Amino acid sequence: MLGLVFQKIAIKMSMENKGQVAVQPHLEMGPLEDGELHDLDDECLYSSEMDAQKTHPIHSNQPVLFSGLPLGGNKMTRNGVYKSIKTVVFSNKLNLLMPFGPLAIMVHKMTASNGWVFFLSLLGITPLAERLGYATEQLAFFTGPTVGGLLNATFGNATELIISIYALKSGMTRVVQLSLLGSILSNMLLVLGWAFFCGGLVHYGKEQVFSKATAVVNSGLLLMAVMGLLFPAVLHYTHTERHVGKSELALSRFSSCVMLLAYAAYLVFQLKSQKDSYVPVGEEGSLNGENDDDDDDEAPEISKWESIIWLAIMTAWISILSDYLVDTIEGASDAWNVPVAFISVILLPIIGNAAEHASAIMFAMKDKLDISLGVAIGSSTQISMFGIPFCVVIGWIMGQEMDLNFQLFETATLFITVIVVAFFLQEGTSNYFKGLMLILCYLIVAASFFVHEDPVAADQVRYRSIAYGSIAYRYKAKLHLLPTFLVSLTSAACS
């Protein structure tokens, strides 16, 4: 009977492949015996597989498993993995920098050149940060706008947050403050300036426009962040703390919780309550169905689970390189004779966010300034209202005294930068001259940090050097006592 079932299946497959309509007479309707009822039941098990094979018929020379799937299923899986790797890894020229990550680890193991390890780690992190953003965008296709906005808030600046967490773990709270401050200054002045400048040159003689509503709300959030950073600094320098050494830290932690709550409310406001007010200028027609063809062209390039797996891989690899980056930042400062403040505020944000900078410029050249503002000003808002308070809370959990007192020089720089950018955004238009002004302002900021010696960072480096030196001295003292101990042990053994 089992042979008869397989014979019927083979005849049906040949009929479907050759397009025949009739079957052989001896297999047509006839009286059913008890044994043949089992044949029909077994045959029904294969009905779903037969329907699936109508669109993709299996060749007669290809063996078939009992599940109805071809033996080439493993090959299909391998092809899917290869396609995913090709899409994520080999589709971007920036990924040519990926080998510098393993090279940094090799140089760290083989030599003691902290400068080279730091530089190679920076180059290795650059494409990983860009691919992390790409995987987040792909995952947002499957989650909807609300969860997608939360994902962008979490992973949009994941590289900076990972580096900050490793620096907090090492007790380098000042490096955390300076690197986050540098990301804000870089996005607001350098990225936005180059976007305005390149967009203005490409569209020469035309004023590019963007949504003033988004710019005004982001400017307000940035001013709120400046307020949160300003009061702990004023409290410190006016010596008006009720509890010396404690009030400043308590105020910072309370303000951080308030800033996180404000940013969560901003996400709800932007994504749900007032999302129609944040439609990019020139794209209102898509709400009325005029530009549906452009929206249909946007589709995910990888699946949901592929996006999650790639997010985990990129995050783990960035975490590994961030550990080497943080451990060698002081050695790079000594090797290059460059202040730690300059490396943290200028070099880390420029190289670490190079891919993000390029995307903002590209969208501005395509006359999509709202997206450029989302990359530049939106990223600054994320860091100031989410990244900095988040690090304060994480430091609180770790037992590190991370506060919002960024010192007077750094707080004043941020305050002036926010005021200047807010003035440039209030009209809702841009041109190449505005971009040039922002770039020149960033050059002034970079020169200021190059000649600025940060006393807090120097004290932290000096403290760590003294701590390591005292540990080495204790071990050295114990090594001096080792010969005496061996002689006494030998004498006791002989006696």
Side-chain angles (χ1 to χ4, degrees):
M1 288 297 179
L2 188 61
L4 181 60
V5 172
F6 283 114
Q7 184 180 4
K8 291 181 180 181
I9 296 172
I11 293 174
K12 279 192 175 184
M13 291 175 58
S14 63
M15 287 166 52
E16 291 165 352
N17 292 336
K18 296 179 180 179
Q20 296 177 352
V21 180
V23 295
Q24 296 181 2
H26 64 277
L27 289 176
E28 292 182 353
M29 297 293 296
L32 295 177
E33 299 177 359
D34 294 337
E36 292 179 348
L37 291 175
H38 298 287
D39 300 342
L40 291 176
D41 293 338
D42 294 336
E43 189 173 351
C44 292
L45 295 175
Y46 293 89
S47 59
S48 59
E49 285 82 359
M50 294 300 106
D51 293 336
Q53 290 168 359
K54 287 181 181 179
T55 55
H56 301 284
I58 301 176
H59 299 288
S60 58
N61 58 353
Q62 183 178 3
V64 179
L65 295 176
F66 288 105
S67 62
L69 296 174
L71 286 176
N74 293 331
K75 185 177 181 181
M76 293 174 61
T77 303
R78 289 195 299 268
N79 290 338
V81 173
Y82 172 74
K83 182 180 179 182
S84 179
I85 295 175
K86 182 180 179 181
T87 302
V88 177
V89 178
F90 297 104
S91 62
N92 193 350
K93 294 181 180 179
L94 189 65
N95 293 339
L96 294 174
L97 298 177
M98 281 188 177
F100 286 105
L103 185 60
I105 298 176
M106 291 177 58
V107 172
H108 179 75
K109 299 295 184 182
M110 298 173 61
T111 65
S113 179
N114 290 329
W116 277 108
V117 174
F118 178 81
F119 180 70
L120 294 174
S121 300
L122 271 183
L123 293 181
I125 286 178
T126 301
L128 297 176
E130 191 274 336
R131 291 290 89 182
L132 190 68
Y134 170 80
T136 305
E137 293 174 359
Q138 296 297 310
L139 186 58
F141 279 105
F142 304 95
T143 58
T146 304
V147 181
L150 294 174
L151 286 174
N152 287 326
T154 305
F155 290 99
N157 296 291
T159 305
E160 290 88 348
L161 293 178
I162 292 173
I163 294 175
S164 300
I165 290 173
Y166 272 92
L168 279 175
K169 185 180 176 182
S170 302
M172 303 171 66
T173 57
R174 189 57 179 163
V175 173
V176 176
Q177 292 178 335
L178 294 176
S179 62
L180 294 176
L181 174 68
S183 296
I184 299 174
L185 298 176
S186 173
N187 283 306
M188 294 182 66
L189 294 177
L190 186 65
V191 180
L192 189 63
W194 275 111
F196 282 178
F197 183 74
C198 296
L201 290 181
V202 172
H203 302 277
Y204 186 78
K206 168 191 172 183
E207 271 198 336
Q208 294 180 288
V209 295
F210 52 85
S211 175
K212 287 196 294 185
T214 307
V216 169
V217 172
N218 280 289
S219 299
L221 287 172
L222 288 171
L223 286 172
M224 181 180 177
V226 171
M227 181 190 301
L229 300 181
L230 184 62
F231 285 133
V234 172
L235 189 67
H236 175 78
Y237 283 99
T238 55
H239 304 288
T240 55
E241 298 175 88
R242 292 186 59 187
H243 304 283
V244 179
K246 295 182 179 180
S247 298
E248 177 186 337
L249 183 61
L251 176 62
S252 299
R253 290 171 175 174
F254 176 78
S255 300
S256 298
C257 295
V258 173
M259 291 165 69
L260 289 174
L261 181 63
Y263 187 72
Y266 163 70
L267 287 180
V268 175
F269 174 79
Q270 186 181 23
L271 298 173
K272 283 192 172 183
S273 302
Q274 300 288 332
K275 61 181 179 180
D276 291 340
S277 301
Y278 293 88
V279 177
V281 175
E283 296 185 6
E284 293 89 347
S286 61
L287 295 177
N288 301 323
E290 297 176 6
N291 297 328
D292 292 339
D293 295 337
D294 296 337
D295 297 336
D296 294 339
D297 293 338
E298 296 183 0
E301 298 179 3
I302 55 179
S303 66
K304 179 175 68 174
W305 286 107
E306 286 176 333
S307 303
I308 295 174
I309 292 172
W310 281 113
L311 274 176
I313 293 174
M314 297 300 174
T315 303
W317 189 224
I318 289 174
S319 302
I320 294 173
L321 291 182
S322 298
D323 193 13
Y324 289 94
L325 191 73
V326 171
D327 288 342
T328 56
I329 188 172
E330 295 172 359
S333 175
D334 296 334
W336 298 343
N337 195 21
V338 175
V340 175
F342 182 82
I343 293 177
S344 302
V345 176
I346 305 301
L347 293 184
L348 279 178
I350 288 179
I351 300 179
N353 296 330
E356 193 175 25
H357 300 177
S359 63
I361 296 172
M362 178 190 67
F363 284 120
M365 295 173 67
K366 293 180 179 180
D367 202 12
K368 296 181 179 180
L369 269 185
D370 289 283
I371 302 179
S372 297
L373 256 70
V375 173
I377 303 301
S379 181
S380 299
T381 305
Q382 285 181 6
I383 297 172
S384 59
M385 294 295 294
F386 175 76
I388 294 177
F390 178 76
C391 288
V392 173
V393 174
I394 292 297
W396 189 2
I397 296 174
M398 290 182 176
Q400 300 288 345
E401 295 185 354
M402 167 79 181
D403 55 27
L404 296 179
N405 180 16
F406 279 43
Q407 304 301 317
L408 187 61
F409 181 83
E410 289 78 7
T411 306
T413 303
L414 179 61
F415 177 70
I416 296 172
T417 300
V418 172
I419 295 298
V420 170
V421 173
F423 271 109
F424 276 96
L425 297 179
Q426 65 179 349
E427 295 180 355
T429 60
S430 73
N431 50 57
Y432 74 92
F433 180 72
K434 288 184 178 180
L436 181 61
M437 292 298 101
L438 291 175
I439 295 173
L440 295 179
C441 288
Y442 186 77
L443 291 179
I444 295 175
V445 171
S448 301
F449 277 97
F450 186 79
V451 299
H452 171 64
E453 182 66 31
D454 184 43
V456 180
D459 290 342
Q460 285 188 354
V461 172
R462 192 179 302 111
Y463 173 78
R464 293 182 68 187
S465 300
I466 292 174
Y468 291 152
S470 61
I471 293 173
Y473 177 79
R474 289 198 298 269
Y475 280 114
K476 186 176 180 180
K478 292 180 179 180
L479 287 175
H480 281 301
L481 295 176
L482 183 61
T484 306
F485 173 75
L486 291 176
V487 170
S488 302
L489 184 63
T490 304
S491 301
C494 293
S495 61

